[in-house]
Amino acid sequence: MTPTARRHERRLIRAGNPSLAALLTLARVTGPIRKIPRVGWVVNDPVVARRILNDYDHFTMVGEGGVGHLWGQLFGPAFAAFFGGQGHADLRVKARDMFTEVKSTALVDRVLTPMLSDVRRNLAEGDRVDVVRTAKLMTGRVVADVLGLELRDRDEAYLRLFVSGERLAALALGTQVSTVLAPETIEQARSVVREITGGVEEAYRTRGAETILGRSREIGLDVEIAKALATLVTIAGTETAASAMARTVALLADTGQTAALLADRSRIPDAVREGLRVTSAAPVLGRHVAKDVVVQGRRLRAGDRILLAVHTANNRPGGFDVTRPYLPETRQLWFGAGRHLCLGAALGRAQLTRLLETLTAAGRPWRIESRTPARKVLVPTYATLTIRMAE
Ligand code: HEM
């Protein structure tokens, strides 16, 4: 990776979340697993991380340190039960057919083709395009569609959904040290949840089983659980994918690899994989140690928390490079592993693929005209990233 690209990426992470930046910097020098006082066990090795993500006897998402602990405080124990055990397995089976590669690509094409055609035309005519706004709109549209929310095809409504998700996620800043939320944080979070779930009751009543909310009704989940699921999918599917998209577009320009992609568009899948790896938009995955266990010669005790610094682990092989082959050790750790492997992985990939196809369609490289990093966000990203085609 060029020094410019590395500098921009590091600046983004620092601006978005300084304690995340400190943790990732520390993880670069800690070795595969190390206990850090007041933080917990930090892992930076892809193979060790994957082993932990696949070990359900000793590690859980529910309990201090796991994201299920946060959701349980917001939506209660009935929802927390979906983060582990049989409840989680059953729900995954019932939702699986909605997230296949084929369905995800079809959804992205149906929902995004008109807006991406506009982006392509605007760029070809020499206009500036803000990739961040484009990416927010794309993810807002995709998430609303997969849920079954009717947002009347209005850009402002999709942006509002995105911004509410971002505000809710930002309330989790600082949970690297503890996942116990203060009562006032829970109150604030519930008010943002009301914004996100305003249209859920209607969608739950009226939409078909091809949408998450319609499917929730069909499989007998109550409407409160459906609201919690809608919130979870909004958080999981908007900031992550939008961050990966904006940062990959910047990485291509900053590393001077736009020309290579234009010369050989069959490299787009490699650029997508490299973008997802280098940005690792879910940079740290948390787990609670459920039972004593030895990992790499270290004894972890029940009740400890463990932070998998997957951003650091994924970046160990080197910087963004569209000629880098598939890395068997890393696989697709940016989407996690094991039974919580990202449900929307194909949706994330399809969006990034279509965006890069759109930007390369005119056959001319783009240059970055201006950019600003986003501040105080859970997922580091740009607040604006304006590009323009070279003459
Ligand atoms: C580049 C984009 C994305 C990245 C990097 C990403 C990353 C991840 C990761 C790392 C996990 C596992 C978390 C853990 O084990 O602690 C996860 C889970 C999840 N993701 Fe994604 N995600 C992305 C896009 C999406 C999209 C577009 C959706 C849906 C619209 C989505 C929905 C989910 C859901 C529902 C889960 C929970 C799965 C479970 O617990 O069984 N994600 N994601």
Side-chain angles (χ1 to χ4, degrees):
M1 188 132 90
T2 61
T4 315
R6 187 171 297 118
R7 196 180 67 239
H8 281 300
E9 273 290 304
R10 291 203 175 151
R11 205 171 128 222
L12 273 190
I13 297 173
R14 257 197 327 272
N17 188 342
S19 50
L20 170 69
L23 178 68
L24 297 180
T25 306
L26 189 69
R28 281 204 288 274
V29 295
T30 51
I33 177 162
R34 165 98 66 92
K35 190 163 192 183
I36 308 292
R38 292 193 340 104
V39 173
W41 294 95
V42 175
V43 171
N44 85 354
D45 180 274
V47 176
V48 178
R50 186 171 304 101
R51 199 179 313 141
I52 289 168
L53 290 171
N54 278 287
D55 178 349
Y56 316 121
D57 277 345
H58 298 99
F59 301 97
T60 165
M61 267 197 176
V62 195
E64 163 66 63
V67 73
H69 186 222
L70 292 171
W71 290 101
Q73 291 166 78
L74 203 50
F75 289 105
F79 188 56
F82 287 112
F83 285 85
Q86 205 50 44
H88 175 260
D90 289 347
L91 197 55
R92 288 275 307 207
V93 169
K94 286 172 182 157
R96 204 164 40 200
D97 66 289
M98 305 171 70
F99 291 92
T100 61
E101 206 78 40
V102 170
K103 289 234 175 101
S104 300
T105 307
L107 184 150
V108 165
D109 286 345
R110 176 169 52 76
V111 173
L112 299 182
T113 299
M115 75 163 280
L116 288 177
S117 302
D118 288 348
V119 170
R120 187 168 55 229
R121 201 179 39 254
N122 292 343
L123 278 173
E125 286 172 1
D127 293 349
R128 293 185 182 86
V129 166
D130 180 0
V131 182
V132 171
R133 182 183 157 85
T134 303
K136 286 182 179 178
L137 278 172
M138 289 171 72
T139 58
R141 282 177 181 273
V142 165
V143 162
D145 194 86
V146 81
L147 288 172
L149 288 176
E150 302 268 13
L151 299 186
R152 319 257 179 260
D153 203 27
R154 301 258 304 275
D155 279 2
E156 312 84 82
Y158 296 112
L159 286 177
R160 248 198 321 274
L161 182 66
F162 185 98
V163 170
S164 299
E166 197 175 45
R167 277 177 39 230
L168 183 59
L171 292 174
L173 280 168
T175 52
Q176 262 145 238
V177 176
S178 166
T179 48
V180 177
L181 296 172
E184 56 275 19
T185 308
I186 296 181
E187 231 5 84
Q188 276 174 285
R190 292 207 169 122
S191 113
V192 187
V193 169
R194 283 193 285 277
E195 293 168 17
I196 294 174
T197 58
V200 165
E201 289 189 12
E202 191 191 336
Y204 175 84
R205 260 197 333 270
T206 58
R207 300 304 307 270
E210 73 289 358
T211 66
I212 291 182
L213 292 168
R215 177 79 53 105
S216 299
R217 179 196 69 240
E218 301 271 299
I219 64 174
L221 298 177
D222 72 32
V223 71
E224 293 309 315
I225 294 288
K227 284 184 185 170
L229 275 179
T231 309
L232 169 68
V233 171
T234 303
I235 299 285
T238 50
E239 267 187 289
T240 45
S243 166
M245 286 193 275
R247 289 159 71 190
T248 302
V249 171
L251 280 165
L252 276 161
D254 292 337
T255 57
Q257 294 181 68
T258 319
L261 203 59
L262 288 166
D264 180 3
R265 289 177 84 226
S266 73
R267 286 221 178 271
I268 287 178
D270 300 321
V272 167
R273 192 181 60 247
E274 276 293 282
L276 290 168
R277 179 181 71 81
V278 171
T279 60
S280 288
V284 176
L285 309 180
R287 290 293 187 271
H288 177 84
V289 180
K291 279 190 216 156
D292 290 7
V293 60
V294 175
V295 178
Q296 298 273 300
R298 307 298 177 103
R299 178 166 290 281
L300 280 57
R301 307 269 177 205
D304 286 353
R305 63 205 309 270
I306 183 156
L307 298 170
L308 311 176
V310 290
H311 181 281
T312 310
N314 291 337
N315 275 279
R316 272 180 26 186
F320 182 88
D321 180 355
V322 296
T323 65
R324 190 185 299 284
Y326 171 79
L327 297 163
E329 271 207 344
T330 315
R331 288 192 218 166
Q332 49 170 350
L333 194 55
W334 43 89
F335 285 129
R339 66 184 180 193
H340 292 285
L341 180 76
C342 177
L343 197 57
L347 275 176
R349 267 194 307 269
Q351 290 179 80
L352 184 47
T353 303
R354 291 296 184 252
L355 180 66
L356 295 186
E357 286 169 357
T358 302
L359 300 189
T360 51
R364 303 204 307 271
W366 58 87
R367 61 165 192 274
I368 296 175
E369 289 224 325
S370 66
R371 63 176 120 198
T372 44
R375 303 207 172 268
K376 296 208 171 85
V377 281
L378 191 67
V379 178
T381 189
Y382 289 100
T384 61
L385 179 78
T386 313
I387 62 164
R388 201 172 190 174
M389 285 291 164
E391 293 302 318

